[in-house]
Amino acid sequence: MPDNAQQFASDNYSGICPEAWAAMAEANQGHQRAYGDDEWTARAADHFRRLFETDCEVFFAFNGTAANSLALASLCQSYHSVICSETAHVETDECGAPEFFSNGSKLLLAKTENGKLTPQAIREIALKRQDIHYPKPRVVTLTQATEVGTVYRPEEVRAISQVCKELNLNLHMDGARFSNACAFLGCSPAELTWKAGVDVLCFGGTKNGMAVGEAIVFFNKDLAEDFDYRCKQAGQLASKMRYLSAPWVGILQDDAWLKYANHANRCAQLLAMLVEDVPGVSLMFPVEANGVFLQLSEPAIAALTARGWRFYTFIGAGGARFMCSWDTDEARVRQLAADIREVMSA
């Protein structure tokens, strides 16, 4: 299998979608002001305000780890804590960055149901201890879609938001795959965020057709005070900011973001359907976004790897994660499914 063959290990493997590429090429004409004081950054921010149907503060960062960590740091003091899922990206895959950028805010891990936090789990952790010797809970962070490919419904977000209001907690959403959640639910971005009580969203672009770039969207604008200084201090203020912001104009202006998320989701559903009758194969979690989590035999996993397929197996013995992307070829999905059927039959 050639090194550049389409793979299913991560949606980060994919290239840049045509709309983002074209916007970058257009932004490359002539000179523009630096450090975000350019027309492309202003246009991108305005597109977000139209998309979310509200006035909001918008900032751009290079990657999801920075976006999440800086957003959480803006909501916390060092003696505060953040309640998150035990499988949340901020816990498992960000190398302690949320704690680092907040000068020590502790992550408090909650048990989940199919990767999703529940109001009861949040309440139990937030009320577990309230003495001065324990880091004071201040934020709840949701991953949308979750790390196991499930999606929070608007009513679930509202229920969590209600608990947050009762307990004086801010609500942050890690939306690395927010586009896929919107596509699956058929909900507007507003319905899944500020209308359901979300204070801050980190909207992922990298996994949905952009080269780099995440947007930090503050619906509660009071929480955005001095966030530009925080970005600068963390090395996230791009001097040529238009190359971070212009791709957003490209994918937002004609809803390419939603088209590509729908495509990735459909490819995941196709893969799940093609292997559902294979003896010994079972779905570990519902397929609601662009990820398929399959329980396979260990020999089958080894055989797939030997055939050149790349995928992650960080989810327990026999567990395999297959991620579809904005550009996934359906023929490639069918080839993978056929190989899964063969190796499981061997």
Side-chain angles (χ1 to χ4, degrees):
M1 192 177 295
D3 285 342
N4 66 344
Q6 198 168 78
Q7 292 287 353
F8 294 84
S10 172
D11 32 11
N12 289 326
Y13 276 39
S14 62
I16 307 172
C17 70
E19 293 84 353
W21 188 269
M24 288 186 73
E26 189 178 347
N28 199 39
Q29 304 302 309
H31 282 209
Q32 285 278 338
R33 293 182 179 182
Y35 302 109
D37 192 23
D38 61 274
E39 64 172 280
W40 287 97
T41 301
R43 286 173 61 187
D46 285 341
H47 274 296
F48 276 107
R49 294 179 186 114
R50 284 191 289 271
L51 182 68
F52 285 98
E53 308 167 50
T54 190
D55 188 21
C56 49
E57 293 286 352
V58 184
F59 302 87
F60 300 98
F62 289 98
N63 56 43
T65 294
N68 285 329
S69 301
L70 295 176
L72 291 173
S74 73
L75 307 178
C76 289
Q77 297 290 338
S78 58
Y79 51 84
H80 285 144
S81 56
V82 176
I83 297 172
C84 67
S85 159
E86 60 190 347
T87 59
H89 199 270
V90 293
E91 159 63 12
T92 63
D93 289 281
E94 293 184 352
C95 197
E99 296 94 328
F100 176 79
F101 281 104
S102 63
N103 290 317
S105 296
K106 184 177 177 63
L107 298 181
L108 303 179
L109 309 185
K111 297 290 185 182
T112 58
E113 298 175 7
N114 281 332
K116 293 191 283 187
L117 288 172
T118 63
Q120 182 59 28
I122 293 167
R123 187 175 278 109
E124 286 177 2
I125 288 184
L127 300 178
K128 178 181 177 182
R129 282 179 62 179
Q130 295 177 288
D131 58 274
I132 201 168
H133 303 287
Y134 197 69
K136 184 178 182 180
R138 187 59 176 167
V139 181
V140 170
T141 179
L142 307 179
T143 310
Q144 177 77 310
T146 72
E147 289 298 298
V148 297
T150 52
V151 169
Y152 288 93
R153 276 62 174 169
E155 59 270 21
E156 292 175 307
V157 181
R158 283 195 296 271
I160 288 171
S161 171
Q162 185 57 45
V163 171
C164 290
K165 288 181 172 63
E166 291 173 15
L167 301 175
N168 194 31
L169 305 172
N170 291 314
L171 183 55
H172 164 263
M173 181 174 281
D174 171 2
R177 298 184 178 94
F178 180 74
S179 299
N180 302 93
C182 288
F184 174 76
L185 294 171
C187 292
S188 73
E191 290 171 324
L192 269 183
T193 53
W194 66 271
K195 287 185 177 180
V198 173
D199 294 304
V200 186
L201 166 72
C202 294
F203 194 138
T206 309
K207 290 179 169 62
N208 197 34
M210 287 171 50
V212 293
E214 316 289 299
I216 304 103
V217 184
F218 286 85
F219 304 109
N220 183 342
K221 294 173 67 174
D222 292 340
L223 298 175
E225 183 178 358
D226 290 340
F227 193 76
D228 48 350
Y229 285 87
R230 195 177 292 277
C231 289
K232 171 62 179 178
Q233 187 181 62
Q236 292 297 313
L237 177 64
S239 54
K240 296 184 179 181
M241 182 67 79
R242 66 189 185 277
Y243 296 109
L244 281 185
S245 57
W248 283 110
V249 176
I251 69 170
L252 293 179
Q253 61 187 357
D254 294 315
D255 289 338
W257 69 278
L258 189 57
K259 175 183 72 174
Y260 290 130
N262 269 309
H263 173 76
N265 289 2
R266 283 195 302 270
C267 287
Q269 292 285 348
L270 175 63
L271 176 59
M273 181 193 72
L274 291 173
V275 300
E276 64 183 356
D277 65 334
V278 177
V281 173
S282 60
L283 279 176
M284 299 178 70
F285 305 100
V287 180
E288 296 181 345
N290 60 322
V292 182
F293 292 75
L294 297 178
Q295 192 74 47
L296 306 173
S297 69
E298 293 290 353
I301 288 175
L304 284 174
T305 302
R307 292 186 181 203
W309 292 105
R310 297 177 187 169
F311 52 93
Y312 285 128
T313 56
F314 56 81
I315 41 179
R321 187 192 80 166
F322 301 91
M323 297 301 301
C324 297
S325 305
W326 71 270
D327 63 345
T328 294
D329 186 343
E330 289 190 9
R332 190 74 171 152
V333 175
R334 294 181 185 279
Q335 183 182 354
L336 171 62
D339 277 6
I340 290 174
R341 186 177 296 272
E342 281 189 24
V343 299
M344 286 296 291
S345 301

